């Protein structure tokens, strides 16, 4: 461990790194409790209807099968707030893939074989899984995801747009996308009398505990949730998913510890997905580029189980100054799996559409797209009128342009050629909100001169364990190697989940406060410490969630260089460069990984990732990793992330903004804009696959 | 462990894992990945897809990198298997590649990491033995060690998906050990 004068801002190595590279780190399915059994789900084979009958006789006759849980006989649970967790509680099938039975057996092989023998008879009903702009069931929700208003508007957007000298009126489409963390959702559950312990792959153990306590009607202190290491989540493990409830039910029924590791190909239907979004963007501008009207209208789908509205029109409330603004969402409930959070929900698809349309406007105006953005830099947040706590988008664009070599660019499309390849570059902006939620933490000083920080935070790969130790070390004025962080266990002081890029701000705040209090106590203490050490506790309720008169967001600029094969239509990204302004960067090593990791997921969104709801059978057709194309190493070129240090005193004691999501936000638009620059083809539907590009290229190539 | 309640046909096999011999009765449906994880408690090898689509389960069998989720254990009588737990040998010190992964922050969640590491070890041996890849110059003399530039490393490491997008660090880590 490197000793540094200040731990914050140092590129500290991940504290659990050694465990991860030696295979010692344990994930949820890897707790070999004595007598552990394995569960396997049976997914619904119809898109809508009811389970009329489940014949489990053949499955139960298989030696080694311990139980088959069905909607008719599974333990009755209290109704959860999140209806996607009400599994095996009633015969209704709200979408294909919904769990209709669960087999528990001695081995995973037997559980899988028995699941195939479960015979389910359905009363099926007509269904609809197709999202269209003019769907008759579309309605305008009051509230979109994250509690944001469905509609925000001011001025006279229609009139101003109609009167604008330069207009862009375009439609963009983003397909359903899947999170696919490399660790499938898994839970190992174990009952000891009326006490339940689960090892679960979750972004937030505190929520998992309260959900289990509520559904199984247990006092919270009878439920223990362990999420020591989590193999990624990207939103899909934000709140509990059915694996948690199913494993606990299976363990209850069989009186055995049970592991349910959800099979990969069943994940898309039960863990949430990024909902498809259909965008209509209207931008009106004066000849000098000043926006006179911004209209962003989004249509998306949700399931019949619960309403989730991908808030894709929200970034237009943040980005550009305009006297006339309309941002509105429409949602259609269909017979589809329930959508949920996927890395930068709202911003990711919304900024793809908005930043592509801005590029189109720049072309229509004959103006450099960076200049156009700078011209429309707002003084106050357009949607709320609040001042920004800090906003360095312009600096990100300029710094990125300098590093990328933007000034050498010939703005004309199809101006660079290399054999069969057309080359192009593109730019797009990024934004993501910076917020915090209350959390609690304790810090303890031990007589041997070391410290322990305890908080039920989760490290899903972000480096939370490490950065919290850094915050503690600095606040205590000690070296990083004297601090131990305990996270990922519900016996620890409660904290909110890893989501919305709030982790470091929220948990770090509580850790900071606990350590500051402890430092004060130590200063006042005389003589040796008692054997059990000295404790301090912090709760940031009322602080972290206090109303502030500022709009708080991180910003960034993305640059991409692509080569498009005129023969095959294939796009290869050659370079990606991002510059971000996200407050103080607390650990440059892990921060860089988060930024570049987000950018690589954005590359997938731009070029390879796509899912389809097939109207013929009512489910996703790309449900495994062979058909849903996550970027592979060979798809990923030189990826660079840089940042501008910001001193923002309106955030939290660390002055940090969340960085887990902004990396994905502008990437797809930058790549799409680069493809247009290379080829002259404006493809308005993701992903930019060869068939779509080729269709736009002139036959001669 | 499997034998007591095994309903399905099984056989006894002997294989060496990380240098240690094991004799087990295996269900014929059991794949090497589950043998490692469930029978031997070696959970370093990860199950990302169970279908040969992600590489998380990559281990070395007779020095070759293979997806252990696609190998029926019963076919491996006499095999020599190395998992991430065995890469460093008996010593306390990690394998140079494990050290390089730490230095380069070549992972985030760590779930793909054991597979990446085993795959990289296998890949280095393949290149040294002169196996060409999709991006190797077809005119290059065959049978000679293939120099590993970045495109070669990227191409050869593409059987191991990383949803955290740690690829740039993985490539740098591999470069560190071949220098
Ligand atoms: S688990 Fe074997 S390739 Fe994915
Ligand atoms: S480190 Fe998370 S999948 Fe590779």
């Amino acid at each position: 461990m490197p000793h540094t004068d200040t731990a914050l801002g140092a590129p500290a190595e991940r504290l659990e790194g050694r465990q991860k590279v030696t295979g010692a780190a344990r994930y949820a399915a890897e707790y070999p409790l004595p007598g552990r059994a394995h569960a396997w789900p049976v997914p619904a084979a119809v898109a809508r209807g009811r389970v009329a009958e489940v014949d489990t006789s053949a499955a139960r006759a298989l030696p080694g099968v311990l139980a088959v849980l069905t909607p008719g006989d599974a333990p009755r649970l209290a109704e959860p707030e999140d209806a996607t967790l009400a599994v095996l509680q009633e015969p209704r099938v709200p979408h294909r893939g919904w769990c209709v039975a669960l087999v528990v057996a001695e081995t995973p092989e037997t559980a899988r074989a028995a699941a195939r023998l479960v015979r389910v008879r359905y009363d099926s009903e007509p269904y609809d899984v197709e999202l269209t702009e003019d769907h008759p069931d579309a309605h305008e929700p009051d509230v979109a995801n994250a509690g944001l208003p469905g509609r925000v508007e001011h001025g006279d957007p229609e009139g101003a747009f109609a009167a604008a000298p330069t207009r862009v009126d375009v439609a963009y489409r983003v397909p359903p996308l899947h999170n696919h963390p490399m660790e499938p959702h898994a839970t190992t559950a174990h009952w000891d009398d009326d006490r339940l312990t689960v090892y679960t792959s979750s972004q937030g153990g505190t929520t998992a505990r309260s959900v289990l306590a509520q559904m199984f009607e247990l006092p919270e202190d009878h439920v223990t949730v362990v999420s020591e290491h989590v193999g990624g989540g990207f939103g899909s493990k934000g709140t509990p998913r059915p694996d948690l409830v199913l494993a606990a039910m299976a363990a209850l029924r069989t009186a055995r510890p049970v592991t349910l590791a959800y099979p990969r190909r069943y994940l898309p239907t039960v863990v949430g997905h990024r909902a498809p979004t259909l965008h209509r963007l209207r931008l009106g501008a004066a000849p000098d580029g000043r926006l006179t009207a911004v209209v962003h209208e989004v249509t998306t789908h949700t399931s019949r189980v619960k309403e989730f509205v991908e808030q894709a029109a929200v970034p237009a409330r943040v980005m550009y100054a305009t006297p006339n603004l309309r941002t509105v969402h429409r949602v259609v409930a269909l017979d589809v799996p329930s959508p949920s959070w996927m890395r930068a929900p709202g911003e990711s698809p919304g900024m793809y559409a908005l930043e592509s349309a801005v590029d189109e406007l720049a072309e229509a105006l004959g103006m450099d797209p960076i200049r156009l953005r700078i011209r429309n830099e707002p003084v106050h947040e357009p949607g709320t009128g609040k001042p920004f706590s800090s906003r360095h988008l312009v600096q990100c664009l300029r710094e990125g342009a300098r590093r990328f070599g933007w000034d050498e660019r010939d703005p004309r499309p199809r101006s660079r050629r290399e054999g069969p390849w057309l080359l192009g570059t593109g730019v797009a902006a990024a934004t993501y909100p910076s917020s915090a939620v209350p959390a609690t933490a304790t810090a303890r000083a031990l007589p041997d001169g070391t410290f322990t920080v305890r908080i039920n935070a989760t490290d899903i790969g972000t480096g939370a364990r490490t950065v919290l130790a850094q915050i503690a070390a600095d606040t205590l004025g000690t070296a990083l190697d004297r601090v131990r962080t305990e996270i990922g266990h519900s016996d620890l002081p409660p904290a909110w989940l890893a989501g919305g890029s709030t982790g470091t701000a929220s948990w770090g705040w509580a850790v900071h406060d606990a350590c500051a209090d402890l430092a004060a106590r130590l200063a006042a203490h005389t003589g040796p410490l008692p054997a059990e050490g000295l404790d301090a506790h912090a709760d940031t309720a009322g602080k972290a969630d206090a109303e502030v008169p500022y709009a708080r967001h991180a910003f960034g600029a993305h640059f991409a260089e692509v080569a498009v094969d005129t023969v095959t239509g294939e796009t290869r990204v050659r370079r990606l460069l991002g510059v971000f302004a996200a407050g103080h960067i607390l650990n440059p090593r892990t921060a860089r990984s988060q930024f570049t990791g987000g950018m690589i997921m954005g590359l997938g969104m731009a070029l390879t990732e796509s899912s389809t709801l097939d109207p013929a059978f009512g489910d996703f057709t790309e449900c495994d990793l062979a058909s849903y194309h996550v970027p592979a190493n060979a798809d990923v070129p030189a990826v660079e992330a840089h940042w501008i240090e910001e001193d923002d005193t309106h955030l939290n004691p660390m002055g940090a903004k969340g960085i887990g999501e902004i990396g994905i936000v502008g990437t797809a638009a930058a790549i799409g804009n680069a493809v247009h620059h290379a080829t002259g083809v404006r493809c308005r539907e993701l992903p930019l696959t060869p068939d779509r590009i080729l269709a736009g290229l002139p036959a001669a190539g | 462990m499997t034998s007591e309640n095994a309903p399905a046909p099984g056989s006894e096999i002997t294989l060496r894992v990380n240098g240690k011999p094991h004799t087990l009765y295996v269900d014929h449906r059991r794949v090497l990945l589950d043998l490692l994880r469930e029978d031997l408690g070696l959970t370093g090898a990860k199950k990302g897809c169970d279908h040969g689509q992600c590489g998380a389960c990559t281990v070395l069998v007779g020095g070759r990198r293979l997806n252990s989720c696609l190998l029926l254990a019963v076919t491996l009588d006499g095999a020599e298997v190395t998992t991430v737990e065995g890469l460093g040998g008996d010593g306390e010190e990690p394998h140079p590649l494990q050290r390089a992964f730490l230095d380069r922050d070549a992972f985030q969640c760590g779930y793909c990491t054991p597979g990446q590491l085993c795959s990289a070890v296998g890949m280095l041996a393949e290149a040294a033995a002169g196996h060409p890849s999709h991006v190797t110059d077809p005119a290059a003399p065959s049978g000679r060690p293939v120099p590993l530039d970045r495109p070669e490393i990227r191409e050869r490491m593409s059987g191991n998906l990383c949803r955290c997008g740690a690829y740039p660090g993985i490539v740098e880590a591999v470069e560190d050990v071949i220098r």
Side-chain angles (χ1 to χ4, degrees):
Chain A
M1 188 75 49
H3 277 260
T4 47
D5 291 335
T6 54
L8 275 187
E13 187 177 300
R14 287 171 202 271
L15 295 180
E16 77 290 0
R18 185 78 178 236
Q19 283 167 277
K20 283 179 175 171
V21 300
T22 56
R26 270 190 204 282
Y27 297 78
E30 299 170 352
Y31 288 82
L33 306 178
R36 177 172 67 150
H38 297 265
W40 200 277
V42 178
V46 299
R48 176 176 171 144
R50 295 174 70 79
V51 172
E53 190 197 341
V54 186
D55 178 359
T56 62
S57 51
R60 278 185 294 114
L62 205 61
V65 171
L66 300 166
V68 183
L69 284 70
T70 69
D73 71 1
R76 293 299 108 179
L77 307 174
E79 193 182 325
E81 196 184 309
D82 177 351
T84 63
L85 299 178
V87 275
L88 302 181
Q89 298 300 298
E90 54 150 330
R92 174 132 290 278
V93 174
H95 59 77
R96 224 177 142 108
W98 179 260
C99 184
V100 293
L102 185 75
V103 176
V104 191
E106 296 287 350
T107 66
E109 291 86 350
T110 301
R112 182 182 60 203
R116 273 209 197 116
L117 298 177
V118 174
R119 292 279 159 261
V120 185
R121 200 165 58 73
Y122 301 91
D123 292 330
S124 54
E125 298 164 15
Y127 59 87
D128 179 8
V129 298
E130 279 185 286
L131 176 66
T132 52
E133 277 89 351
D134 54 356
H135 199 287
D137 294 346
H139 76 275
E140 191 185 320
D142 291 338
V143 179
N145 179 43
L148 294 159
R151 172 186 290 251
V152 167
E153 75 175 52
H154 58 243
D156 172 19
E158 290 290 343
F161 178 74
T166 304
R167 286 191 298 255
V168 164
D169 182 350
V170 283
Y172 278 84
R173 299 172 81 97
V174 179
L177 297 170
H178 300 306
N179 309 61
H180 278 317
M182 289 312 300
E183 181 202 16
H185 293 60
T187 300
T188 298
H190 158 58
W191 289 84
D192 190 356
D193 264 339
D194 57 349
R195 288 176 186 269
L196 171 63
T197 301
V198 295
Y199 304 86
T200 188
S201 187
S202 168
Q203 292 173 225
T206 302
T207 315
R209 183 172 71 165
S210 52
V211 163
L212 287 172
Q214 183 264 328
M215 291 187 73
F216 288 85
E217 298 176 88
L218 299 166
E220 289 225 353
D221 62 1
H222 284 208
V223 181
T224 305
V225 177
V226 183
S227 301
E228 169 105 46
H229 298 288
V230 178
F234 314 109
S236 71
K237 296 172 182 171
T239 47
R241 301 298 140 118
D243 59 287
L244 179 76
V245 178
L246 290 168
M249 279 200 279
L252 186 64
R253 167 63 52 87
T254 58
R256 297 267 295 265
V258 173
T259 291
L260 170 57
Y262 234 84
R264 172 65 62 186
R265 51 177 292 125
Y266 298 167
L267 291 180
T269 53
V270 297
V271 305
H273 60 279
R274 191 192 300 290
T277 42
L278 314 178
H279 304 252
R280 184 175 178 202
L281 256 306
R282 283 177 286 166
L283 304 178
D288 67 354
R290 248 173 260 280
L291 286 163
T292 53
V294 173
V295 180
H296 192 168
E297 294 159 309
V298 172
T299 306
T300 184
H301 79 200
T302 188
S303 71
R304 303 222 188 253
V305 183
K306 68 171 179 186
E307 182 166 284
F308 177 93
V309 182
E310 178 93 16
Q311 73 275 31
V314 162
R317 303 170 186 172
V318 177
M319 288 306 296
Y320 302 114
T322 177
N324 303 290
L325 173 74
R326 175 188 298 150
T327 58
V328 59
H329 301 86
R330 284 149 45 84
V331 63
V332 190
L334 297 171
D335 304 300
V336 296
S338 297
S340 182
W341 308 295
M342 178 165 163
R343 209 172 200 168
E347 278 75 18
S348 200
M351 285 294 274
Y352 162 65
L354 177 62
E355 291 299 287
S356 302
V358 166
D359 201 67
E360 297 207 50
L361 180 64
E363 201 193 7
L365 288 161
M367 198 169 167
D368 176 76
I370 293 180
R371 264 187 57 217
L372 175 61
R373 287 179 172 89
I374 293 174
R375 171 128 322 151
N376 288 291
E377 180 69 2
V379 180
H380 298 295
E381 186 181 48
T384 61
K386 287 183 183 177
F388 290 98
S389 66
S390 58
R391 174 170 169 131
H392 291 96
L393 173 59
V394 171
Q395 289 79 350
C396 290
L397 288 163
R398 292 210 168 110
E399 174 70 3
R402 187 184 67 75
R403 289 181 179 271
F404 191 76
W406 184 259
D407 289 348
E408 291 131 47
R409 178 186 197 247
D410 180 340
R412 288 167 307 163
R414 301 176 68 89
S415 55
R416 279 169 74 202
R417 199 177 247 286
E418 216 177 67
W421 298 92
L422 287 168
L423 309 185
T425 52
V427 64
T431 184
Y432 195 81
S434 307
S435 50
V437 284
T440 60
T442 59
R444 173 174 296 179
L446 294 162
D448 64 359
T450 64
F451 300 86
T452 309
V453 173
R454 309 177 82 232
I455 179 166
N456 192 15
T458 327
D459 194 332
I460 59 171
T462 55
R465 199 180 263 106
T466 313
V467 85
L468 293 179
Q470 290 177 273
I471 292 166
D474 261 23
T475 315
L476 292 161
T478 190
L480 185 54
D481 60 0
R482 305 218 145 193
V483 180
R484 225 163 69 91
T485 341
E486 288 179 25
I487 63 168
H489 198 295
S490 59
D491 286 352
L492 300 167
W496 205 58
L497 50 96
S501 292
T502 62
T504 302
S506 312
W507 307 326
W509 198 329
V511 165
H512 169 274
D513 283 9
C515 291
D517 189 12
L518 181 61
R521 279 185 197 204
L522 285 170
H525 187 86
T526 50
L529 293 183
E532 72 280 9
L534 209 60
D535 267 348
H537 181 79
D539 182 347
T540 61
K543 262 182 177 180
D545 51 351
E547 279 287 321
V548 288
Y550 296 101
R552 300 183 291 190
H553 305 271
F555 291 91
H558 288 269
F559 293 79
E561 178 174 356
V562 302
V564 181
D565 189 325
T566 49
V567 179
T568 64
E570 183 187 14
T571 300
R572 304 290 299 172
V573 175
R574 292 199 169 176
R575 282 196 290 157
L576 282 182
L577 185 146
V579 179
F580 303 94
H584 285 306
I585 297 300
L586 305 181
N587 182 330
R589 178 197 300 238
T590 50
R592 174 165 284 113
S593 292
Q594 290 225 71
F595 287 134
T596 54
M599 291 162 75
I600 289 164
M601 202 178 271
L603 184 154
M605 177 179 169
L607 297 183
T608 60
E609 293 181 37
S610 179
S611 193
T612 319
L613 275 159
D614 186 333
F617 84 124
D619 194 4
F620 296 117
T621 43
E622 297 87 352
C623 56
D624 61 12
L625 293 170
S627 50
Y628 185 87
H629 296 154
V630 163
N633 206 322
D635 297 320
V636 176
V639 182
E640 278 181 49
H642 305 277
W643 47 87
I644 286 167
E645 275 288 328
E646 276 183 326
D647 234 338
D648 185 335
T649 54
H650 306 297
L651 298 170
N652 49 59
M654 297 77 63
K657 295 177 178 176
I659 56 171
E661 295 171 84
I662 192 166
I664 192 176
V665 173
T667 305
I671 292 172
N673 294 341
V675 167
H676 171 259
H677 181 232
T679 62
V681 178
R682 184 67 75 174
C683 190
R684 299 192 181 90
E685 180 167 10
L686 291 182
L688 308 174
T689 44
D691 52 324
R692 290 180 176 151
I693 304 289
L694 213 49
L697 285 174
Chain B
M1 172 175 176
T2 319
S3 58
E4 274 130 276
N5 302 299
S11 301
E12 190 172 279
I13 60 163
T14 298
L15 73 179
R16 289 174 77 84
V17 180
N18 300 329
K20 284 196 208 81
H22 296 273
T23 299
L24 313 93
Y25 183 85
V26 294
D27 184 325
H28 285 171
R29 300 167 300 182
R30 179 141 287 194
V31 290
L32 175 60
L33 177 60
D34 288 324
L35 178 148
L36 293 169
R37 288 169 64 85
E38 305 301 327
D39 294 319
L40 303 184
L42 292 171
T43 52
K46 300 301 180 204
K47 189 182 283 188
C49 69
D50 215 13
H51 278 66
Q53 300 169 349
C54 75
C57 62
T58 307
V59 299
L60 299 163
V61 180
R64 288 177 62 207
R65 52 176 175 164
L66 292 170
N67 287 337
S68 63
C69 71
L70 295 183
L71 296 172
L72 289 170
V74 68
T75 66
L76 296 172
D77 192 29
E80 184 86 43
V81 178
T82 306
T83 70
V84 71
E85 290 94 339
L87 280 186
D90 294 336
E92 270 296 281
E93 272 311 293
H95 186 280
L97 202 56
Q98 289 170 319
R99 185 64 253 164
F101 265 57
L102 291 168
D103 292 341
R104 296 293 185 171
D105 204 39
F107 58 92
Q108 292 196 50
C109 76
Y111 201 78
C112 73
T113 311
Q116 303 278 0
L117 286 159
C118 290
S119 187
V121 170
M123 179 276 277
L124 292 173
E126 288 161 19
H131 298 186
S133 83
H134 176 68
V135 298
T136 307
D137 181 356
S142 62
R144 305 240 196 94
V146 183
L148 292 176
D149 57 12
R150 287 190 169 197
E152 281 281 4
I153 297 171
R154 288 183 187 130
E155 174 64 28
R156 289 167 188 262
M157 288 301 291
S158 283
N160 294 83
L161 298 178
C162 174
R163 191 53 160 159
C164 296
Y167 301 128
I170 293 168
V171 173
E172 288 169 11
V174 171
E175 283 184 319
D176 284 352
V177 299
I178 56 183
R179 285 227 182 84

